[in-house]
Amino acid sequence: MNIKNLIYSILTFFVLLTVACQTTNTTLNRGIWRGALIHETGAEVPFNFELKDSLGKWQMFIMNGQEQFKVDDISRENDSIFIKMPLYDSEIKGIITDNKIEGYWVKHLADKDVKMDFVAQYGVNWRFKDQLEPATQNITGKWATIFTNLEGKDTTLAIGNFKQEGNLVSGSFLTPTGDYRYLDGVLDGDELSLSTFDGGFAFLFTAKVSGETLSEGKFYSGFSSQELFTAKKDENATLPDAYSLTYLKPGFEKVDFAFPDMNKKPVSLKDEEFKNKVVILQLLGSWCPNCMDETAFLSNYIRQNNFDDVKVLGLAYERTADFDKSKANLQKVINRFQVPYPFLITGYTNKKGEPAKSLPMLNAVMAFPTMIVIDKQGKVRNIHTGFNGPGTGKYYEDFVKEFETLISTLRKE
């Protein structure tokens, strides 16, 4: 071996030795992180979360506006981390390396798994950008909004309802069948960016703001869905009446069914326990974020009031007709919200047409959730399609007042 090759071999040895002696930092740090899910288009759907260590047990708090979504099923194996969401049958799997987590978010659907790339950086408390240009507009207020698909069809009317303080923006979009929950974002100069991730759904909205107009709007949803939107500021913007969309067919006054509870015991409104009671039927699915908001509301209402003449029944339409799988997903909902009322497993899925088959006296089941309020004589008095959760501010507060007034009136009859 000549001297040149010898020197090269020695240098190579020391380089390899140095690399071998280096250790990767797999410490999982407590504190604020910035996470991002990567949409099929390459767009980032960002969110912030905090990791805490409570008596040796890791907890994650996903932050969207005023909401902090708690996740406490977190485990580690060497440099790997597994974060199972308490709802929606989804999880994050990643590798911890030098204050970063890289991996993917997987959502288990009825017939397949789908996933998005996931990255997170420790110690980053901004959501969209570290340095923002001063906001040149203010979008506080109501916005009449039109969503369309990429082909310009399938129009959906909505209302944007926002609050802005400096660069920071919060609020939500409301549609005739529900809302997009807590949205958190910024106005960077004239560029609006809003996002949310709740463990089951990932949304990103971007648009240009000019005076009282939102243009070039793009809505990224989940793994690959994309829509366009435009909006104009309009404090008088309204949506179709949520009490008019679903109704009884002519000739019907009552709802009738027999579905099994979680223990496979058949339950019907003809059962003795529902006679001379105000009954609230909740049509829901464990996969539905607006349903979770409504479940939280109904659970709190029953716990706070504990009326002996008011009953709530949840009619579940899962993404599978498999009883045991449906039961497992619904049990997570019960545990999450400490639900004080029973869920019935209808055996029908949420596929178009199936829910209406289960309750043929209805014109349609247009959205989840749908709430049916029945008086003490067993007659349907009110059907509310969709649910506007606490992220919608005044819309949620108005619904709560309407609901409480109705139940109070029916109890006195």
Side-chain angles (χ1 to χ4, degrees), residues 242-256:
Y243 297 100
S244 67
L245 301 176
T246 304
Y247 51 86
L248 290 174
K249 293 177 180 176
F252 289 93
E253 291 184 332
K254 299 183 177 182
V255 172
D256 189 26

Side-chain angles (χ1 to χ4, degrees), residues 349-391:
T349 71
N350 65 315
K351 291 181 180 178
K352 187 175 181 179
E354 282 203 34
K357 291 179 182 178
S358 71
L359 298 170
M361 66 289 301
L362 298 180
N363 69 312
V365 177
M366 298 188 64
F368 289 93
T370 291
M371 181 188 295
I372 304 174
V373 179
I374 300 169
D375 66 21
K376 292 185 177 182
Q377 288 71 47
K379 295 181 180 180
V380 173
R381 298 290 291 271
N382 179 304
I383 302 179
H384 187 278
T385 299
F387 188 78
N388 294 320

Side-chain angles (χ1 to χ4, degrees), residues 20-36:
C21 291
Q22 289 178 347
T23 57
T24 301
N25 180 8
T26 61
T27 302
L28 185 62
N29 289 304
R30 305 174 186 86
I32 300 297
W33 292 67
R34 178 186 185 267

Side-chain angles (χ1 to χ4, degrees), residues 63-185:
M63 296 179 283
N64 297 298
Q66 299 177 22
E67 180 185 52
Q68 291 203 2
F69 185 79
K70 182 180 178 182
V71 182
D72 56 12
D73 189 349
I74 301 174
S75 59
R76 290 197 58 189
E77 185 176 334
N78 299 321
D79 62 349
S80 299
I81 185 169
F82 306 93
I83 305 170
K84 291 189 177 181
M85 298 298 161
L87 300 169
Y88 311 120
D89 201 12
S90 76
E91 58 190 316
I92 291 174
K93 298 179 180 181
I95 302 296
I96 306 165
T97 308
D98 299 327
N99 295 327
K100 294 181 181 180
I101 301 174
E102 295 182 303
Y104 54 89
W105 170 53
V106 57
K107 193 170 183 180
H108 305 291
L109 303 179
D111 56 351
K112 62 180 179 179
D113 289 349
V114 289
K115 65 182 182 181
M116 295 177 76
D117 288 339
F118 166 78
V119 294
Q121 175 70 56
Y122 171 67
V124 177
N125 61 7
W126 49 267
R127 196 175 186 95
F128 286 95
K129 286 178 64 176
D130 184 17
Q131 298 293 328
L132 298 171
E133 296 293 329
T136 62
Q137 313 286 328
N138 191 307
I139 70 165
T140 297
K142 293 169 61 175
W143 296 75
T145 307
I146 300 176
F147 287 93
T148 61
N149 63 14
L150 295 180
E151 290 74 38
K153 302 176 182 178
D154 297 328
T155 299
T156 300
L157 299 179
I159 293 176
N161 190 38
F162 304 113
K163 180 179 180 181
Q164 180 179 338
E165 295 182 1
N167 288 103
L168 303 181
V169 180
S170 61
S172 192
F173 286 100
L174 296 76
T175 74
T177 57
D179 66 88
Y180 288 114
R181 313 194 79 244
Y182 288 97
L183 299 180
D184 192 344

